[in-house]
Amino acid sequence: MAEDAAVDYTLNNPDTLTKYKTAAQISLKVLEAVTGWCLEGEKIVSICERGDKFLAEEVGKVYKGKKISKGISHPTTVSPSSYVTPYTPLSTDAEEAPTSLKANEAVKIQLGAQIDGLGTIVCDTIIIPGEANKDDKLLGREADLLLATHYANELLLRLMIPPGLLASGTDEEKKKAASIKPITQSKMTHLLEKVVKSYGCNLVEGTTSWLFERNEIEGKKKIVLSPPSDGGKGEGVPEIGDVWGVEMGVSLGTGKIKTLENRPTLHRRTTITYQLKRPSSRQTLSEIVKKFGTFPFSLRQLEDERAAKVGVVECVRSNVLRQYEVVADKDSAPVARLLTTIAITKNGIVRLSAPPAPSLEQYKTEKKITDEEILKILEQPVARSTGAKGKNKKKKKKPAKKATEEEDEDSSDEE
């Protein structure tokens, strides 16, 4: 404990950003592999098991011999078309274990790694290869869905940049820019709705981005988009030194959600302490604390899956564990999700683990964004260029559709 207290885990410590980047590299490597495994007919539980094994192997290769915690910050989950939340069935559940991927459905892949309690999580949406996209081209509503999600995500990242952070001009102009109040979350929702409605889509109700802290993926600040009528308001604003898990959820339907009857298999330990009565509950909790700390885990990651299903019951009832319900689009419409782990530095946003930039020329649709305010924001960079030789100066003015990749190159140099 004393050692932890002496270590600076903020972004002021270069080692912190290095650990985040190491975890992110692992997350992205595994995401790429899992994406390749997602083919028509493949069982979701098998893909998830392979993903977690690969995550564990890659984490084991770094920081060898160091007395620091490391592991999985989010288990591999593969969510079918209309599912909103991460989905990871169990091999011991007769009804759900056979669940397999279908051609042309929108599938969400989410996973993550952590080094020294500094976790990165990434989520990408892919369309399972099939006859409709055999030429690597997406047509119609699938194209609308992925384009809406991509541009809404890009807009949200730009809306999270602290006012004046990337301002140029005189000192007076920079000071004026910095004095502007941060954008409200209701304004964020309003602008993002404009983007997705351009493609005939809607934001998924309650889409939430969280502040990430050491050993904590749901920190004291959060941004809630299209908040549900029963509450769920966000609080706090993004600031320099923050690390966030930025989520974007878009639906081809209304965006309203419902809880499914599927068994919740994803859990996370809370800070609540309680004297558990059943020996099986205590044994399960002990294994959870040792293996996962406060990061999310799947019951299939525990030594005895059947015993775990029994052991977590009392833990959930006493709020020692939080269970993540399986949530889907209310109208069973296809849903796309992206999750990007970012760091906000003095030079802007560093995309630590981000879904790969899509090949936009492969998406064929007649729909497009026409709102001038939105287009102007999308043209803005997410980070200040730090290239010493200004190699990108000739490419300074880029259309919104091609800006993303260059911004990532700029921000990857950030310390």
Side-chain angles (χ1 to χ4, degrees), residues 251-263:
S251 170
L252 282 179
T254 62
K256 301 298 181 182
I257 58 175
K258 64 181 177 182
T259 300
L260 301 180
E261 294 182 357
N262 304 57
R263 175 196 296 275

Side-chain angles (χ1 to χ4, degrees), residues 17-163:
L17 194 54
T18 298
K19 289 171 182 174
Y20 270 124
K21 287 183 175 181
T22 301
Q25 288 167 0
I26 293 170
S27 301
L28 294 174
K29 182 175 183 178
V30 178
L31 174 65
E32 182 180 14
V34 173
T35 299
W37 301 337
C38 288
L39 299 170
E40 181 183 4
E42 292 292 327
K43 289 185 178 180
I44 289 178
V45 66
S46 299
I47 297 171
C48 292
E49 289 171 347
R50 289 177 68 188
D52 284 352
K53 183 180 179 183
F54 194 18
L55 271 171
E57 289 172 354
E58 292 302 306
V59 168
K61 294 177 182 178
V62 300
Y63 287 88
K64 289 184 176 180
K66 304 286 186 181
K67 291 184 177 180
I68 61 173
S69 64
K70 56 183 182 177
I72 296 174
S73 62
H74 194 286
T76 307
T77 59
V78 178
S79 307
S81 183
S82 64
Y83 285 44
V84 173
T85 50
Y87 177 66
T88 171
L90 304 180
S91 59
T92 55
D93 278 351
E95 290 187 13
E96 295 186 54
T99 306
S100 58
L101 300 177
K102 298 178 178 62
N104 306 314
E105 74 170 330
V107 168
K108 283 72 65 181
I109 305 167
Q110 184 162 317
L111 53 85
Q114 62 93 1
I115 305 294
D116 203 7
L118 304 171
T120 63
I121 302 175
V122 63
C123 178
D124 191 21
T125 297
I126 64 169
I127 304 297
I128 300 301
E131 280 297 313
N133 61 348
K134 62 181 179 180
D135 298 322
D136 290 332
K137 295 190 184 303
L138 287 178
L139 310 173
R141 296 302 281 151
E142 286 82 8
D144 293 339
L145 177 63
L146 294 196
L147 283 172
T149 310
H150 168 69
Y151 285 121
N153 187 60
E154 290 299 310
L155 181 66
L156 178 55
L157 291 175
R158 286 158 175 78
L159 297 178
M160 291 185 67
I161 299 171

Side-chain angles (χ1 to χ4, degrees), residues 66 199 251 260 265 288 299 376 389 411:
K66 304 286 186 181
Y199 293 94
S251 170
L260 301 180
T265 63
I288 290 167
L299 295 182
K376 185 177 179 181
K389 296 182 180 179
S411 61

Side-chain angles (χ1 to χ4, degrees), residues 177-300:
S179 67
I180 297 173
K181 289 184 178 180
I183 187 169
T184 64
Q185 294 188 24
S186 60
K187 176 66 172 178
M188 284 184 179
T189 295
H190 174 68
L191 292 173
L192 290 163
E193 282 178 341
K194 283 187 177 182
V195 173
V196 298
K197 287 184 184 300
S198 297
Y199 293 94
C201 300
N202 283 289
L203 292 175
V204 172
E205 182 181 32
T207 295
T208 305
S209 300
W210 289 93
L211 176 71
F212 281 7
E213 298 172 328
R214 185 170 182 253
N215 294 317
E216 179 56 78
I217 62 163
E218 295 184 5
K220 55 184 176 290
K221 294 193 283 188
K222 63 180 178 179
I223 293 171
V224 181
L225 304 174
S226 190
S229 56
D230 60 352
K233 291 184 178 180
E235 52 191 350
V237 296
E239 298 173 288
I240 295 175
D242 283 356
V243 173
W244 283 77
V246 182
E247 181 184 42
M248 178 50 59
V250 178
S251 170
L252 282 179
T254 62
K256 301 298 181 182
I257 58 175
K258 64 181 177 182
T259 300
L260 301 180
E261 294 182 357
N262 304 57
R263 175 196 296 275
T265 63
L266 196 65
H267 296 73
R268 191 166 79 93
R269 184 165 65 93
T270 69
T271 56
I272 294 173
T273 56
Y274 180 82
Q275 188 61 44
L276 298 170
K277 296 177 175 61
R278 297 173 62 89
S280 60
S281 304
R282 294 197 294 270
Q283 184 177 344
T284 298
L285 182 61
S286 177
E287 183 182 357
I288 290 167
V289 171
K290 183 179 179 181
K291 285 186 175 180
F292 313 112
T294 54
F295 287 105
F297 64 92
S298 167
L299 295 182
R300 60 180 168 72

